[in-house]
Amino acid sequence: MLFFLGLWASKIYYRFFEKNKEADRMGIVALKFDDRFLYHIAKPKTVIAVTGTNGKTTTCNIIADLFEKSGYKVAFNKDGCNLRPGLSKALILNTSIFNKPKSDVAILEFDELSTKDLMAAVKPNYIVCTNLFMDTMGRNGHTDFVFNKINEGLPQDAKLILNADDLISCQLGDKQQKVFFSIAKSNKEQNQVHSRNCDIKVCPKCYHKLTFDFIRYHHIGKAHCDNCGFTNPKPDYLVNYYDDSKMEVNNVRYSLLNDSLFNIYNQLAAITVCSEFGLQNLNDYFSKMKIVQSRFFEEKINNVVLTCQMTKGQNPVSLSRALDYVSNLKGKKEIIIIIDDLFDIRSKERSEVISYIYDTDYECLNRSDINKIIVAGVRCYDYKVRLLLANVDENKIVAIEDEKKCAQYLSNDIELIAIVHDIYQYRNCQYLIDEIRKKY
């Protein structure tokens, strides 16, 4: 009875009282009545869970778009609320007052540290793990800690969709069926790309030093152990070719949603799980699809191209990939960096855990075609110090505490503006976009 009271109360709350429809408060209402609400609510026949360090929201959005365009009714926590209240809300909105599912499939983003509880409640048929990297130190700690949290919560009968190029997450699961995806090295890529972070250096089987045959970035690539023979698993879905606009997976051509390598991985993960489910003609949908705007946005304002790339706060790998991507965009450019996360924004006393600043590859910004770098927010002077350590010319660096004033420091004679922002800086990013439109 408490379950139904929670179900009905949450629906009434959402209908009449919840002003912010993107919040997860209706899920909180349901859980107030029944703390095992997520176990009791009806689920559709197919449940797809997506977890990992980076790329969860983008991958979920791509998968959801593919299912919806294929004619399926989808339950989806598209706002990125990936704990019990957010998952509860996604299912409540697609469940009748009599606890009957109204959707054909649920596509749910899962917090990687809450896997054991959430997956036991939801019982997904497919589990996608995008990757495992060094993340927020205060919460996630080492990748081994996160790996174990995910691994102990995996249902035995779920099919795992794993990144064969990630030597950490590809080891997830024991008795589960596994399907692997991978991107083959292209002729344009170097054999060894230097990154400050490499989260696996010794063999997980015998603890001898790994030999890397190819490093795409960080620990993503190909490696083997000379002692026991450990190496990457053989991929079932392989990107055998890609360029700026398309890629071929198992010799089937697809339009690229975005030419950044991390988004190619996200798209590939979506192709893999959707193909395993049995969706057909995926490329017919990709040609009309875009990366979710909160994660990537591009617009031409007269003669200036504006690009916005979201990153994950206090996550050196996510930020390194974002900075590398915008630094390689063509043209004379200026870059705005507003990446303070929610803790830094709200806290009156700054956290002493700032290792992520020094673990990030700021060296990629030491380029002659970058005219200016504007760092803003409560950590702006820490970021300036890091840029100086990366040998960026001090005359190119502007450090300001007020994010909304960034547009005032942009030059007039530039071809491209790139904003790299944390998810909690999204509103400030939208404000800056409006200011840049006025200026140019």
Side-chain angles (χ1 to χ4, degrees), residues 11 45 66 69-70 81 118 130 154 159 200 255 258 264 289 298 325 336 360 413 416:
K11 286 181 175 290
K45 184 178 179 180
L66 291 173
K69 286 176 168 58
S70 298
C81 297
L118 297 181
T130 54
L154 296 174
K159 181 182 286 190
I200 180 169
S255 299
N258 182 264
I264 295 177
M289 194 186 301
E298 190 169 84
Y325 177 73
I336 297 173
T360 300
D413 58 337
L416 186 142

Side-chain angles (χ1 to χ4, degrees), residues 323-376:
L323 293 178
D324 180 73
Y325 177 73
V326 299
S327 70
N328 283 294
L329 294 173
K330 295 179 180 178
K332 184 181 178 182
K333 50 189 168 283
E334 297 190 350
I335 297 173
I336 297 173
I337 303 173
I338 47 173
I339 53 172
D340 291 328
D341 78 339
L342 191 62
F343 179 85
D344 278 330
I345 293 168
R346 290 180 176 177
S347 178
K348 292 182 180 179
E349 295 182 6
R350 304 279 75 81
S351 166
E352 292 302 315
V353 182
I354 60 171
S355 59
Y356 63 93
I357 298 175
Y358 296 93
D359 289 336
T360 300
D361 296 322
Y362 280 96
E363 282 73 12
C364 66
L365 299 180
N366 186 8
R367 293 171 55 116
S368 60
D369 60 350
I370 297 178
N371 185 59
K372 188 181 295 181
I373 301 168
I374 303 169
V375 286

Side-chain angles (χ1 to χ4, degrees), residues 158-199:
K159 181 182 286 190
L160 305 185
I161 310 296
L162 303 174
N163 186 347
D165 299 341
D166 178 2
L167 288 160
I168 299 175
S169 65
C170 73
Q171 301 173 64
L172 284 167
D174 181 18
K175 298 179 181 178
Q176 294 88 350
Q177 182 182 356
K178 302 181 189 181
V179 178
F180 297 98
F181 59 88
S182 171
I183 302 175
K185 179 182 178 296
S186 77
N187 294 330
K188 299 181 291 184
E189 292 184 281
Q190 304 174 40
N191 283 332
Q192 305 279 337
V193 173
H194 173 73
S195 301
R196 298 184 70 82
N197 279 339
C198 181
D199 292 322

Side-chain angles (χ1 to χ4, degrees), residues 4 13 18 25 113 115 174 366 368 386 394 424 439:
F4 279 102
Y13 177 80
E18 187 172 355
R25 288 192 292 269
L113 294 184
T115 301
D174 181 18
N366 186 8
S368 60
R386 178 66 185 88
E394 186 173 6
Y424 298 110
K439 183 166 183 172

